[in-house]
Each structure stands twice: as C-alpha cells, then as structure tokens.
Amino acid sequence: MQIIVRDNNVDQALRALKKKLQREGVYREMKLRRHYEKPSTAMPS
C-alpha cells in the first residue's frame, strides 16, 4: 500500500491512508485480534 504526500500535506495523506485501511477491513481485523483468546484459555474446564 502506498500513500503519496503532496506539498507536505500530511493531514490529507493520513486521511487517505485511513480511508484505504477502512476500505480493506484492516480496522475490523485489528478489533477482532485485540480481543483474541487462545482456544486453550477460552474453554472452561
């Protein structure tokens, strides 16, 4: 993935990056992984 910063406008480039990440489902994936539990600890004994 590549984002081009034009005329030192980092804010616009950051907005474009966030939009691309959201379109590709990266945020959803991060949210799922943040609360990941290993199967061995998730199973009640």
Side-chain angles (χ1 to χ4, degrees):
M1 181 179 302
Q2 183 177 14
I3 302 293
I4 299 171
V5 179
R6 294 192 177 125
D7 300 325
N8 280 338
N9 194 347
V10 178
D11 292 327
Q12 188 176 357
L14 195 58
R15 250 184 274 127
L17 174 64
K18 286 180 181 179
K19 193 182 292 185
K20 274 190 177 184
L21 290 175
Q22 196 164 19
R23 205 177 299 138
E24 292 188 12
V26 174
Y27 287 126
R28 196 177 325 113
E29 181 83 15
M30 284 174 19
K31 192 174 182 180
L32 289 173
R33 288 176 188 247
R34 187 181 307 147
H35 300 291
Y36 178 77
E37 283 188 41
K38 291 195 307 189
S40 59
T41 59
M43 292 177 56
S45 37

